[in-house]
Structure formats: structure tokens, C-alpha cells
Amino acid sequence: MLWLLEELNLPYEIKFYERDKATMLAPPELTAVHPLGKSPVVTDGELVVAESGAILEYLVDRYGQGRLKPAAEDQNALLRYRYWMHYAEGSVMPPLLMKLIFDRIERGPMPFFVKPIAKGIAAKVKGSFIQPNIDRHFNFIEAELSKSAWFAGDEFTAADVQMSFPLEAASARGGPAAKQPRVTDFLKRIHARPAYQQALARGGPYALMS
């Protein structure tokens, strides 16, 4: 979110909320902002916007002045833009999150007599369902990036910001994103953008899916 705010050159204030370390649930201060304790969440006056894709679309539509979104006349690019805005969290993030959960099951503390069973089940689910789905998604993404410089076409858009989350998450954990040359190139290019660097400087380093 900070990255897009920097790309749009908008003023903003950052508020950090500590989740409960034991339950990982939102603190009361965050549920006071949004009943589900959603993070990230943006407040703009009296308006509260949650969900990454909705936040990005709101900011671009409200403050973009035609920037970071394909022109209405370019229907093909606009369709691709909308597709990737929804694909990031609707399609590719779920198997990545499932892998994270089953990785934790394998490594988590449990009675010694249960551990071999739990590890066996986790390995079976990952090997037969989760990893094949992740591989299929990243092969698809790699192929799509061969069609244009950015996800929605030859111009950088908010769809690239949205797609950065799953790609960085997979890359950080040594997944297929680290082995796909076009995905790797995409990540290098976004990391080199001044607005990306400015967002890191203001928001600090962050860990994805850790």
C-alpha cells in the first residue's frame, strides 16, 4: 500500500498495530478501525477501505488522475488490469497460504507419537495438491510476463503493485518465483523503482508469509 501511495505522491500517515503473539488475532485498536481486524486498512476521512485490491483500486480511481491504470479506450489492457488485480488474492495467494500452514504443521511442536502421522499427511497434501497448483500458477505467470513488460501491458500500473505481493512472498520462501527468469526480472525492476525504495524507507523492512 505504501508503495502505491509513493507512486501517486500522496501524503499519508502510518499506524502500526501489534497482533497478539499467541493467537495472531488483531488487537482492540485495529478492530476499532475495522470489525474484522483487517490489515492493511486505509482510512480516508470517514471512509475505511480494507482488502488490498479494493484499497489499490480506490486510491487509483480517487487520486490517480489517469495514472497507474490503463485508459478506458484500451479495453484489452483494462481487462488484463482488472484480471490481475483480482487474480493475486483470488487465485495465487490461497495455495501459497496453504503451503505456509502445512509447512508449520510439519515443523510445529506436538507429541512425538503424533508427529510422524502429521508430517506424513502434510507432505502428502503438499506433494499431491498444493505444490502442483503453485507450480501451475507460476508457470502461467511466467508465460504471461512474456507477452508484455508489465502485467496489464507495456505501462506500469497498480496491477503490478498488487501482483508483487504473491511473487515476493513466493520468492522470499525460495519458491518457484525464485526460479522463473521473467518473474525474477519483474521483481528486480520493481525493487529499483524510487517509489518502492521510498516506501521501504518510510515503512521499514517487512517479512512476507513468515
Side-chain angles (χ1 to χ4, degrees):
M1 300 306 113
L2 302 189
W3 175 20
L4 184 71
L5 289 166
E6 292 287 349
E7 292 281 358
L8 293 171
N9 197 29
L10 294 174
Y12 60 90
E13 177 187 357
I14 304 170
K15 290 187 178 180
F16 295 99
Y17 298 93
E18 285 275 338
R19 289 189 177 273
D20 185 286
K21 288 182 171 56
T23 66
M24 294 306 293
L25 295 176
E29 297 83 3
L30 184 53
T31 55
V33 178
H34 189 285
L36 295 179
K38 299 292 290 184
S39 179
V41 62
V42 165
T43 57
D44 186 9
E46 297 298 315
L47 186 65
V48 176
V49 186
E51 300 295 344
S52 297
I55 292 170
L56 296 182
E57 289 194 81
Y58 169 75
L59 292 172
V60 169
D61 291 344
R62 177 72 175 82
Y63 298 106
Q65 297 179 327
R67 295 171 292 167
L68 302 184
K69 180 179 180 179
E73 309 84 66
D74 191 345
Q75 285 296 305
N76 183 58
L78 193 58
L79 181 59
R80 286 179 62 81
Y81 169 84
R82 287 174 176 154
Y83 174 79
W84 294 112
M85 290 292 283
H86 292 275
Y87 170 89
E89 291 189 334
S91 291
V92 70
M93 279 303 293
L96 291 174
L97 288 170
M98 287 182 68
K99 184 177 186 303
L100 174 65
I101 292 167
F102 278 88
D103 283 346
R104 287 183 173 177
I105 289 173
E106 283 186 313
R107 298 192 303 265
M110 63 187 74
F112 74 91
F113 54 87
V114 175
K115 197 168 187 67
I117 300 172
K119 289 184 68 173
I121 293 172
K124 180 69 174 177
V125 173
K126 289 196 299 182
S128 63
F129 178 73
I130 298 174
Q131 194 58 53
N133 270 288
I134 291 174
D135 292 341
R136 187 175 299 113
H137 278 293
F138 278 89
N139 288 335
F140 169 66
I141 292 167
E142 179 77 3
E144 289 295 303
L145 282 173
S146 71
K147 298 177 180 179
S148 56
W150 301 101
F151 278 100
D154 292 326
E155 299 293 328
F156 176 84
T157 69
D160 299 296
V161 178
Q162 178 73 336
M163 281 299 297
S164 73
F165 303 133
L167 300 193
E168 293 208 87
S171 179
R173 297 180 65 81
K179 304 167 189 174
Q180 305 275 12
R182 290 188 179 90
V183 171
T184 301
D185 176 67
F186 171 84
L187 292 173
K188 286 179 180 177
R189 285 186 285 129
I190 66 171
H191 293 164
R193 294 183 70 86
Y196 184 98
Q197 295 296 327
Q198 290 158 8
L200 280 183
R202 284 203 61 183
Y206 59 100
L208 289 162
M209 296 178 66
S210 60

